[in-house]
């Protein structure tokens, strides 16, 4: 009986340690924590309150998976050599549904970051729906990635009420509507390639009049006659400092309608397609000319934070400072304006030599440290970390570290 009790205690402790681990490595050669990405994701607690990085070493991972937890970063070792791929058509999934979803990566959690890798739906047909990244989470970042499909709807992030999506330094390929966000989306410094004479872009922004699809400093190419974009729902497009190949059709971004008018979506806000500093090879199109002023916004205002109506600033890389500090006997309480991730048992030291050891609060906006003896506010001036790390939990393009010095 004693052996059984000891085993249960040990197992419980191991589970706690696994949950507290903030960096997990996936490697096919056995040098990491797991052999597959699916195993790594399944090892996480259902309710994940702190950012967890899943580092994926180079290799070809023939798997599809679903992310239900929040605050997950999938980080590849190398953009070209860390490859996640799977062959699946939406129609095949509809006929034989599983719990994972119809995409290669199915994103249901919030504050997810996918970076530095290639993700591909390898089904060979040009045209049918073939999701590569699909889901209904919000505050999703995709950066430094190749996201490929030959089918439609390559990147389909579809939280139509609160969805906010940020993509940068990516290469996207597909056929019909292959980047098709619902809600708010901002893309910069990326390339789009269209495999078919259909629209590359699609947007649905009918839930909130401010929902918009903004693309900055990006390029568009494809087969001869490919179209730039279309929409079925209310939509709003901003294309700033973008370049277009001579293969692009002269057809402007357009609304799809049907002879059966019951199929048509409401269209109360009118055409909202805005351009600035378009660079077009070959024939010039009048509809690409500057008209940003008609949107009631200046070009200097247009950035990610503006796109998301100040609800999210993924490009904020400033340090995080405590909003308030309080002392109670041996305890030091740090209060923040956002949730904090705790890494590797942090230790604080003051200029008076007092050491304070992390006690609790990871994943919340209140982090508690404890000293060996009672402390006063005077004794904890000029704090600095000598072990571990405190970082922001929300999705941003770079890690934001807690600092105690301005």
């Amino acid at each position: 009986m004693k052996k059984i009790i000891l085993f249960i205690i040990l197992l419980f402790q191991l589970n706690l340690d696994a949950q507290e681990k903030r960096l997990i490595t996936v490697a096919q050669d056995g040098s990491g924590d797991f052999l597959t990405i699916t195993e790594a994701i399944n090892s996480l607690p259902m309710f994940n309150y702190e950012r967890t990085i899943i580092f994926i070493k180079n290799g070809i991972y023939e798997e599809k998976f679903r992310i239900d937890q929040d605050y997950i970063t999938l980080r590849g070792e190398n953009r070209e050599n860390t490859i996640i791929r799977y062959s699946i058509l939406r129609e095949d999934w509809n006929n034989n549904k599983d719990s994972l979803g119809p995409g290669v990566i199915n994103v249901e959690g919030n504050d997810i970051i996918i970076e530095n890798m290639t993700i591909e739906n390898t089904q060979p047909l040009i045209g049918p729906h073939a999701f590569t990244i699909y889901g209904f989470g919000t505050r999703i970042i995709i950066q430094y990635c190749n996201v490929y499909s030959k089918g439609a709807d390559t990147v389909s992030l579809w939280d139509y009420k609160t969805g906010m999506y940020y993509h940068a330094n990516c290469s996207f390929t597909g056929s019909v509507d292959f980047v098709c966000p619902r809600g708010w989306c901002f893309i910069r410094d990326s390339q789009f390639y269209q495999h078919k004479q259909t629209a590359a872009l699609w947007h649905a922004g009918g839930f909130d009049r401010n929902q918009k699809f903004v693309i900055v400093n990006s390029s568009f190419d494809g087969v001869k006659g490919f179209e730039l974009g279309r929409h079925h729902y209310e939509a709003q497009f901003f294309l700033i400092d973008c370049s277009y190949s001579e293969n692009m059709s002269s057809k402007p971004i357009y609304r799809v309608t049907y002879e059966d008018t019951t199929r048509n979506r409401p269209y109360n806000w009118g055409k909202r397609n805005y351009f600035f500093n378009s660079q077009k090879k070959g024939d010039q199109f009048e509809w690409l000319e500057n008209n940003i002023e008609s949107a009631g916004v200046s070009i200097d205002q247009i950035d990610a934070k503006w796109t998301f109506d100040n609800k999210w600033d993924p490009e904020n890389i400033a340090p995080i400072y405590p909003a308030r500090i309080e002392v109670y006997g041996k305890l030091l309480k740090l209060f923040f304006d956002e949730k904090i991730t705790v890494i590797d048992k942090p230790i604080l030291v003051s200029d008076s030599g007092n050491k304070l050891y992390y006690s609790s609060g990871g994943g919340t906006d209140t982090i508690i440290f404890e000293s060996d003896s009672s402390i006063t506010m005077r004794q904890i001036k000029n704090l600095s970390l000598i072990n571990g790390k405190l970082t922001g939990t929300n999705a941003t393009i770079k890690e934001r570290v807690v600092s105690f010095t301005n």
Side-chain angles (χ1 to χ4, degrees):
M1 179 60 72
K2 287 184 178 179
K3 289 183 179 180
I4 294 174
I5 292 172
L6 287 172
F7 174 76
I8 292 172
I9 291 172
L10 178 61
L11 185 61
F12 179 74
Q13 186 61 49
L14 287 172
N15 286 335
L16 283 179
D17 291 341
Q19 289 185 17
E20 291 173 357
K21 192 168 185 179
R22 302 270 68 88
L23 175 62
I24 296 171
T25 300
V26 177
Q28 293 176 327
D29 62 3
S31 61
D33 301 293
F34 298 98
L35 297 176
T36 70
I37 304 164
T38 299
E39 291 172 329
I41 292 171
N42 289 344
S43 75
L44 301 175
M46 180 181 297
F47 301 107
N48 192 59
Y49 296 107
E50 300 178 75
R51 180 152 299 280
T52 302
I53 298 171
I54 299 176
F55 178 68
I56 306 166
K57 288 192 173 182
N58 290 341
I60 297 174
Y61 297 83
E62 295 271 3
E63 54 183 307
K64 75 165 189 167
F65 52 86
R66 172 181 172 128
I67 304 172
D68 286 305
Q69 299 91 339
D70 300 332
Y71 312 121
I72 305 300
T73 296
L74 297 182
R75 178 178 295 158
E77 181 179 2
N78 180 275
R79 175 170 177 165
E80 306 300 332
N81 297 320
T82 303
I83 302 170
I84 301 169
R85 69 186 189 190
Y86 196 85
S87 177
I88 181 171
L89 288 171
R90 179 183 187 178
E91 182 180 2
D92 291 342
W93 184 83
N94 285 340
N95 293 332
N96 187 24
K97 292 181 179 177
D98 59 27
S99 61
L100 299 179
V104 179
I105 299 180
N106 300 276
V107 181
E108 302 301 326
N110 300 329
D111 287 280
I112 305 300
I113 302 172
I114 302 171
E115 59 188 17
N116 206 39
M117 65 180 68
T118 294
I119 313 109
E120 183 175 9
N121 189 327
T122 55
Q123 73 77 33
L125 302 177
I126 294 175
H129 289 96
F131 303 122
T132 302
I133 298 177
Y134 169 90
F136 296 88
T138 187
R139 296 183 303 279
I140 311 301
I141 292 176
I142 306 170
Q143 59 181 355
Y144 303 102
C145 285
N146 304 318
V147 189
Y148 297 153
S149 174
K150 289 184 178 178
D153 295 18
T154 304
V155 182
S156 297
L157 295 172
W158 284 352
D159 177 356
Y160 75 95
K161 292 183 179 180
T162 62
M164 293 183 284
Y165 311 113
Y166 177 95
H167 314 322
N169 297 284
C170 288
S171 177
F172 303 106
T173 70
S175 56
V176 189
D177 309 334
F178 64 90
V179 178
C180 52
R182 300 172 189 254
W184 291 263
C185 184
F186 181 92
I187 299 178
R188 70 156 66 252
D189 307 324
S190 295
Q191 297 80 46
F192 298 76
Y193 188 87
Q194 167 64 278
H195 289 293
K196 190 176 180 180
Q197 290 181 335
T198 49
L201 306 176
W202 184 94
H203 181 232
F207 185 80
D208 185 318
R209 187 166 184 162
N210 287 328
Q211 290 175 330
K212 58 187 78 74
F213 189 3
V214 178
I215 303 177
V216 175
N217 192 39
S218 296
S219 62
F220 294 84
D221 195 7
V223 299
K224 189 172 181 59
F226 82 89
E227 298 166 356
L228 180 58
R230 65 177 191 160
H231 59 98
H232 296 71
Y233 300 79
E234 302 275 12
Q236 188 171 195
F237 294 88
F238 290 81
L239 289 106
I240 312 299
D241 297 326
C242 291
S243 61
Y244 310 91
S245 81
E246 58 188 354
N247 287 337
M248 190 172 77
S249 166
S250 61
K251 189 172 186 177
I253 295 173
Y254 61 95
R255 177 188 175 217
V256 177
T257 59
Y258 302 94
E259 289 186 10
D260 178 2
T261 57
T262 62
R263 296 180 62 192
N264 293 333
R265 304 294 182 176
Y267 191 58
N268 300 316
W269 302 331
K271 185 171 69 173
R272 297 182 295 165
N273 306 324
Y274 306 108
F275 299 88
F276 181 81
N277 192 31
S278 301
Q279 299 121 49
K280 169 70 171 62
K281 291 184 178 179
D283 295 338
Q284 303 302 299
F285 304 147
E286 184 178 349
W287 53 271
L288 284 174
E289 293 179 356
N290 294 352
N291 67 340
I292 202 72
E293 69 283 348
S294 63
V297 61
S298 71
I299 193 64
D300 295 335
Q301 289 178 266
I302 297 176
D303 59 13
K305 186 177 180 181
W306 172 84
T307 297
F308 303 120
D309 299 328
N310 299 314
K311 299 173 184 176
W312 179 40
D313 186 6
E315 294 183 341
N316 179 13
I317 58 174
I320 303 170
Y321 299 99
R324 191 170 81 256
I325 297 176
E326 295 180 1
V327 169
Y328 301 92
K330 295 181 179 182
L331 300 182
L332 169 71
K333 291 189 176 182
L334 304 175
F335 300 89
F336 297 88
D337 293 329
E338 57 188 278
K339 293 178 174 60
I340 301 299
T341 291
V342 177
I343 301 170
D344 293 337
K345 299 178 180 178
I347 300 173
L348 285 170
V349 64
S350 68
D351 57 4
S352 61
N354 292 87
K355 285 187 177 181
L356 301 105
Y357 302 88
Y358 169 71
S359 175
S360 64
T364 75
D365 59 5
T366 305
I367 307 298
I368 300 176
F369 284 77
E370 185 170 1
S371 175
D372 292 330
S373 57
S374 294
I375 52 175
T376 65
M377 287 295 293
R378 182 178 298 177
Q379 291 174 305
I380 52 96
K381 287 184 177 180
N382 300 322
L383 292 169
S384 59
L385 271 169
I386 61 170
N387 188 72
K389 189 188 291 186
L390 302 172
T391 70
T393 299
N394 295 338
T396 51
I397 59 172
K398 291 184 179 179
E399 181 182 74
R400 298 177 63 222
V401 179
V402 170
S403 175
F404 298 93
T405 58
N406 292 321

